[in-house]
Amino acid sequence: MISSTVLFYGNYVLCLCLGLLCVVFVSYWNTEWRGGFAWDASFLQFNWHPVLMVTGLVVLYGNAAILYRIPFTWSQRKQRWKLVHAALLLSSLFLSILGLCAVFDFHTGYHIPNLYSLHSWVGICTVVLFTAQWVLGLVGFLSPCSPLGFRKLLKPVHAWMGMAIFILSLASCLSGINEKLLLALNSTAAYSSHPAEALFANFLGVLIVAFGLVVLGILSNQRWKRLEPGQESSRVIVTRDMMTDMQCFYSIIV
Amino acid sequence: MISSTVLFYGNYVLCLCLGLLCVVFVSYWNTEWRGGFAWDASFLQFNWHPVLMVTGLVVLYGNAAILYRIPFTWSQRKQRWKLVHAALLLSSLFLSILGLCAVFDFHTGYHIPNLYSLHSWVGICTVVLFTAQWVLGLVGFLSPCSPLGFRKLLKPVHAWMGMAIFILSLASCLSGINEKLLLALNSTAAYSSHPAEALFANFLGVLIVAFGLVVLGILSNQRWKRLEPGQESSRVIVTRDMMTDMQCFYSIIV
């Protein structure tokens, strides 16, 4: 049997590779087929939008979410890794807001209304929730004056909100790639005629899905959860059957 | 403090209401603005596609996924609820495949290529994975000759795949609504001018997101997991601190 730690690191390396591929693919798509980048309220400024959203809201965010699962960090002080977690998420938030600025500036320049599509509604909700989650996380988990009872209450909400934001990020990116290809290609080579750009960008979507599923797989595995203070390395569920069998009990806790 | 059971039923009622609203909204959208339904390879046949996908792949699937979490079912034999779970998922799968037939027939009638958009790629992957998951679930958990070791190995994979399929269903539906509005509205009232249909269908997307997040919230809460045979109603994590404190130990297991 492969050990849990080896299995984790296999998944972690896969996650890092898929994340890197997502960034390379989204950058190559916008360089090769969309004309590259600028910050002048033109179409070239829009091209920063998918790159910054995929890099910030999906890849950096996903890596920040699984940080506490790395077994290497378990023996070290949690406070240090809390700071790394918060810093990674702050970078992710900064890139996401910059990505929103890119599209809002472009819309203003071309007199296109903002926030009309479902993609934009889901996307803006994701960034707003992410901002609220980051501030609440800072106040609840990094502020020294946050009471222990509040932290305990906040923790499951923080974990669920974190997963919700990541899922919304994935949905935003997939619907965004779909929207961009429908709007950009139908005036030249129709999306439905399977041009090379469409296949490449669809494949970027598949990579984002694969990355997301590996991250959610890591998060949902209870064996890879960092143990909280007072817990030992072997977690045991106590059942009445075990309790009545006291000679068995001592072998369990060793 | 609200008890865990009351909190569950609050979430469950919310989930049922949101699911019902999703079905009402997707049906009303396609009746009021898209001309209603037929099965004649026309645009009216296409209209079955969003209705069947939202009803089958999201609402029925989500309800089937949280079935084991209902505290009312915990005291009853699991085999009975396994059959209900499998039947609900089979209905969900049937509606989803019917929903695919609706769009493939329509495409054939209008000579539109199949499976070109990212929405269609994610959607078809979702239904293929769902079919594989259902067959594997039937063989692994309902077949009497399935060995216990295989069931234990399959269970976490089944749970993770189930969650992955649900997330892909949500992403498929959101990107599909976005795609439909972009394709259907830009020839008449542009999507970007915020026509009533666009706002209504976007709100359907918001309802789908809300339903999905409530389902995932229920699934991620460890306190609402059905206990397996041999486990008791109070789960206790054994820590070394507890073990050295034996007088405390007896109070824990009661």
Side-chain angles (χ1 to χ4, degrees):
Chain A
M1 283 289 284
I2 306 166
S3 86
S4 175
T5 308
V6 172
L7 202 63
F8 173 85
Y9 281 111
N11 274 280
Y12 191 57
V13 168
L14 181 64
C15 179
L16 291 174
C17 293
L18 284 169
L20 187 66
L21 275 177
C22 286
V23 177
V24 170
F25 266 63
V26 72
S27 306
Y28 187 78
W29 170 32
N30 285 280
T31 310
E32 182 64 19
W33 282 286
R34 297 284 112 219
F37 306 94
W39 200 273
D40 54 2
S42 72
F43 268 99
L44 301 187
Q45 179 165 338
F46 173 86
N47 295 345
W48 280 114
H49 177 63
V51 173
L52 290 169
M53 286 340 230
V54 169
T55 309
L57 211 52
V58 173
V59 179
L60 254 180
Y61 187 100
N63 276 290
I66 58 172
L67 196 72
Y68 296 134
R69 302 299 202 272
I70 307 172
F72 157 74
T73 68
W74 292 353
S75 57
Q76 297 173 11
R77 282 192 62 227
K78 195 172 182 184
Q79 190 65 15
R80 183 189 305 167
W81 291 100
K82 271 189 191 173
L83 289 171
V84 180
H85 179 72
L88 273 177
L89 287 173
L90 188 63
S91 317
S92 160
L93 188 58
F94 174 73
L95 293 186
S96 313
I97 291 171
L98 209 62
L100 287 187
C101 292
V103 70
F104 281 124
D105 269 8
F106 158 69
H107 279 176
T108 307
Y110 284 78
H111 306 291
I112 299 169
N114 287 308
L115 301 175
Y116 67 84
S117 72
L118 181 55
H119 156 67
S120 64
W121 283 27
V122 176
I124 200 81
C125 282
T126 313
V127 178
V128 169
L129 280 176
F130 184 10
T131 311
Q133 166 91 336
W134 194 87
V135 173
L136 208 64
L138 185 76
V139 173
F141 300 116
L142 276 176
S143 156
C145 52
S146 155
L148 196 67
F150 177 64
R151 288 178 189 222
K152 275 193 173 172
L153 211 67
L154 188 61
K155 203 179 165 188
V157 180
H158 186 77
W160 173 74
M161 276 271 288
M163 187 183 67
I165 292 163
F166 186 61
I167 290 167
L168 292 181
S169 303
L170 296 176
S172 304
C173 285
L174 295 179
S175 58
I177 294 167
N178 206 44
E179 178 170 317
K180 179 67 193 171
L181 290 172
L182 278 165
L183 291 173
L185 292 180
N186 280 346
S187 55
T188 53
Y191 194 1
S192 61
S193 68
H194 303 98
E197 179 183 354
L199 293 176
F200 188 88
N202 279 4
F203 196 70
L204 163 65
V206 174
L207 285 173
I208 290 171
V209 166
F211 173 81
L213 296 186
V214 174
V215 167
L216 290 166
I218 290 175
L219 288 177
S220 66
N221 193 325
Q222 298 298 313
R223 287 190 300 170
W224 294 333
K225 270 196 170 170
R226 183 190 169 103
L227 295 167
E228 292 308 307
Q231 288 182 337
E232 278 297 305
S233 57
S234 57
R235 287 170 223 217
V236 183
I237 300 286
V238 180
T239 70
R240 190 150 298 181
D241 287 353
M242 287 178 194
M243 291 312 151
T244 51
D245 202 355
M246 286 305 282
Q247 70 274 32
C248 170
F249 170 73
Y250 290 105
S251 67
I252 290 165
I253 60 162
V254 173
Chain B
M1 282 290 285
I2 305 166
S3 85
S4 174
T5 308
V6 172
L7 201 63
F8 173 85
Y9 281 111
N11 274 280
Y12 190 57
V13 169
L14 181 65
C15 179
L16 292 174
C17 292
L18 285 169
L20 187 67
L21 276 177
C22 286
V23 177
V24 170
F25 266 64
V26 72
S27 306
Y28 187 77
W29 169 33
N30 284 281
T31 310
E32 182 66 21
W33 282 286
R34 296 285 111 219
F37 307 95
W39 200 273
D40 55 1
S42 71
F43 267 100
L44 301 187
Q45 179 165 338
F46 173 86
N47 295 345
W48 281 113
H49 177 64
V51 173
L52 291 168
M53 286 342 231
V54 169
T55 310
L57 210 53
V58 173
V59 179
L60 255 180
Y61 186 99
N63 276 289
I66 57 171
L67 196 74
Y68 296 133
R69 301 298 202 271
I70 308 173
F72 157 75
T73 69
W74 291 354
S75 58
Q76 298 171 12
R77 282 193 62 229
K78 195 173 183 184
Q79 189 65 16
R80 183 189 304 168
W81 292 101
K82 269 189 189 174
L83 289 170
V84 180
H85 179 73
L88 274 177
L89 287 174
L90 188 62
S91 315
S92 161
L93 188 58
F94 174 74
L95 294 186
S96 313
I97 290 170
L98 209 62
L100 287 187
C101 292
V103 70
F104 281 124
D105 269 9
F106 158 70
H107 279 177
T108 307
Y110 284 79
H111 306 291
I112 299 168
N114 287 309
L115 302 175
Y116 66 85
S117 71
L118 180 55
H119 156 67
S120 64
W121 282 29
V122 176
I124 200 80
C125 282
T126 312
V127 178
V128 168
L129 279 176
F130 184 10
T131 312
Q133 165 92 336
W134 195 86
V135 173
L136 208 64
L138 185 77
V139 173
F141 302 114
L142 277 175
S143 157
C145 53
S146 154
L148 196 67
F150 178 64
R151 287 179 190 222
K152 276 195 172 170
L153 213 64
L154 190 59
K155 204 178 163 188
V157 180
H158 186 76
W160 174 74
M161 275 271 288
M163 187 185 68
I165 292 164
F166 186 62
I167 291 167
L168 292 181
S169 303
L170 297 176
S172 303
C173 285
L174 296 179
S175 59
I177 294 167
N178 205 45
E179 178 170 316
K180 179 68 194 170
L181 291 172
L182 278 165
L183 290 173
L185 292 180
N186 281 346
S187 53
T188 53
Y191 195 1
S192 61
S193 67
H194 303 99
E197 179 184 353
L199 293 175
F200 188 87
N202 279 6
F203 196 69
L204 163 65
V206 174
L207 284 174
I208 292 172
V209 166
F211 174 80
L213 296 187
V214 174
V215 167
L216 290 166
I218 290 174
L219 288 176
S220 66
N221 192 325
Q222 298 299 312
R223 288 189 301 169
W224 295 332
K225 269 196 171 171
R226 184 190 169 102
L227 295 167
E228 292 308 307
Q231 289 182 334
E232 279 296 305
S233 58
S234 59
R235 287 168 220 219
V236 183
I237 300 288
V238 181
T239 69
R240 189 150 298 180
D241 286 352
M242 289 177 192
M243 291 312 149
T244 51
D245 201 354
M246 284 306 281
Q247 70 273 33
C248 170
F249 170 75
Y250 289 105
S251 67
I252 290 166
I253 61 165
V254 173

